[in-house]
Amino acid sequence: MSITAADVGSRVSVRRKLPDGGLGDVLGDLESWSGGVLTVRRKNGDLVRVAEVDLVAGKVVPARRVIARRHDLVSDADVEAVAALGWQGLETERLGGWLLRAAGGWTGRANSALPLGDPGLDPEAAIDAVVAWYTERGLTPQFQVPVPLAADLDDRLAARGWDCPYGVGGIHLMTGDVAAILQAAGPDRDDLPPVTLSAAPSAGWLGVYRYREAPLTPVAIEVLTRAAAPVFAEVVLDGETVATGRGAVDAGWLGIFAMETTDAARRRGLARHVMLTLIRHARTAGARHVYLQVSADNTGAVALYRGLGLTVHHHYHYRRAPGPRTDDGEQC
C-alpha cells in the first residue's frame, strides 16, 4: 500500500475487503482520512467510506487530463484545479467541489478554500463549514475567489463583511502555449550563465527566494517541495545564487513559481532566461501549456510575461473573514 493521509486531495485507486470476503476497487478523489476511515468521492459524486482495517492496497493515480488544444480554450475551473496541484497545502480536505487547504499560514494559495464547484451544502452552511475548518487550525478563514467563476460566492462573502485585502481582481492567472512561446523566443542567448535544474532546492536557492521579505521556514520548504515532480532552477554567478524559479508539471501544464532575482543581478535578462529554461524542460516532460500567478500591480513582471506570450486567462482575489486575526493576515 502506498497511499497515506498525506494523499488527501489526490485521485486514488483503493482496494478493500468486502463483507462477503471478496475484494472491491474504488477509484476517485480521496476527500478525507480521519478516525480510521478513508472517504473517497467517485466521479458520479457518490461517497465511499473505507475502514483502514479493510484497506488492502492503494495508490495515487494521475489526475484527469485537462489538456486542450489551446490554453485559452481551457475553463477557469480546470486551470485553477491544475494550479492547485502545483502549489499545495500540507493538509487538504474536500467539501464537495471546494478544496480546503492549510499549511501553517504560509501563502494564501496553500491556506485558503478554493471553490470550483458545488460544495454539496447550502451555500451559507458551506461557508460556515469553511470557517469552522480554518478556525480549528488556528488560521483566519479565507477563500481564493476566481472571477467570474465564483462571482455568486464573492457576493455572499462581501455581504458577510469578508474583506478583500488586495482588491477585486488583484491577481492575474496568466497562461500560454509552450510551443508558441519557445518559437517566438528563439535560441538560447550565449552571453548568459547557465541555468541549473534540480529536484530539490539548494541552500543558495533557499537563501535567495523570499516570501514577503522573510527567510523560509521548514513549513515553507515543505510546501515548495510538495508537488508531483517539482524542479528548482537557479543561476549562479561567482559562487552566489542570483536568480531562482520553480516549475511543476501536471496534467500537461507547467506552473511557474518563486521567480526571484537579486538586486545586483537585475536587468540582465536572467528572469526571462530562467523561465525559458523551465519551459524547455517542461516540454520534454510533455507539457503543452504554461500558467503562473502574479499580482496585477507587479507591472514589471506582468510586462515580462506578456513579452513571452502569456496572456491573462482570468483573475482571482482573496476574501478573509471579519474578526480578530489568528495569523498575520498578510497572505497572497
Side-chain angles (χ1 to χ4, degrees):
M1 183 182 69
S2 59
I3 63 171
T4 69
D7 296 312
V8 169
S10 302
R11 191 164 177 248
V12 299
S13 177
V14 170
R15 176 158 292 181
R16 57 176 174 157
K17 298 176 185 176
L18 299 175
D20 63 6
L23 299 175
D25 294 331
V26 182
L27 176 65
D29 296 322
L30 183 59
E31 297 211 343
S32 64
W33 188 326
S34 63
V37 177
L38 297 72
T39 302
V40 179
R41 184 180 293 273
R42 285 180 161 142
K43 185 178 181 180
N44 64 3
D46 290 347
L47 290 175
V48 180
R49 291 177 174 82
V50 180
E52 286 184 20
V53 294
D54 294 330
L55 186 61
V56 176
K59 64 179 180 180
V60 175
V61 298
R64 287 185 280 276
R65 294 170 63 84
V66 295
I67 298 175
R69 186 171 57 87
R70 293 202 328 246
H71 67 101
D72 55 336
L73 298 179
V74 182
S75 71
D76 294 0
D78 278 345
V79 176
E80 287 287 357
V82 172
L85 297 173
W87 193 276
Q88 301 179 22
L90 303 183
E91 181 182 5
T92 60
E93 188 171 326
R94 290 279 178 179
L95 182 65
W98 293 4
L99 176 64
L100 281 56
R101 305 165 292 186
W106 193 73
T107 77
R109 280 173 289 181
N111 292 273
S112 57
L114 180 61
L116 299 183
D118 186 347
L121 296 173
D122 171 83
E124 296 296 331
I127 294 172
D128 290 341
V130 169
V131 170
W133 196 84
Y134 283 97
T135 301
E136 288 173 0
R137 288 154 181 78
L139 297 170
T140 300
Q142 180 170 238
F143 277 90
Q144 177 186 334
V145 186
V147 286
L149 177 67
D152 289 345
L153 172 64
D154 196 39
D155 290 342
R156 289 182 181 275
L157 295 174
R160 282 183 171 221
W162 290 51
D163 67 0
C164 188
Y166 310 107
V168 173
I171 300 168
H172 295 326
L173 196 153
M174 302 182 72
T175 61
D177 291 320
V178 165
I181 290 171
L182 294 181
Q183 181 177 9
D188 281 335
R189 284 176 51 182
D190 57 12
D191 61 325
L192 293 176
V195 178
T196 60
L197 300 178
S198 305
S202 69
W205 194 104
L206 294 172
V208 168
Y209 179 62
R210 289 287 187 271
Y211 174 71
R212 298 198 176 280
E213 305 306 321
L216 300 182
T217 64
V219 167
I221 296 171
E222 194 172 353
V223 171
L224 286 166
T225 54
R226 191 179 181 86
V231 60
F232 297 85
E234 68 180 313
V235 176
V236 177
L237 283 176
D238 299 325
E240 299 289 335
T241 300
V242 295
T244 66
R246 172 185 179 270
V249 175
D250 212 322
W253 287 75
L254 164 69
I256 295 179
F257 312 87
M259 295 292 298
E260 194 79 58
T261 303
T262 61
D263 291 341
R266 293 186 185 278
R267 291 174 172 72
R268 300 185 188 181
L270 294 181
R272 185 176 186 273
H273 187 39
V274 167
M275 285 187 65
L276 289 173
T277 301
L278 286 170
I279 293 170
R280 292 188 181 99
H281 167 79
R283 179 175 58 179
T284 66
R288 292 173 56 184
H289 310 306
V290 183
Y291 70 87
L292 55 81
Q293 294 118 319
V294 57
S295 295
D297 60 3
N298 190 347
T299 55
V302 172
L304 167 65
Y305 305 148
R306 287 190 185 277
L308 282 169
L310 283 82
T311 59
V312 176
H313 189 280
H314 64 275
H315 309 276
Y316 69 85
H317 54 264
Y318 292 98
R319 288 277 187 188
R320 300 181 305 191
R325 299 287 178 230
T326 52
D327 52 29
D328 63 14
E330 292 294 327
Q331 300 169 341
C332 179

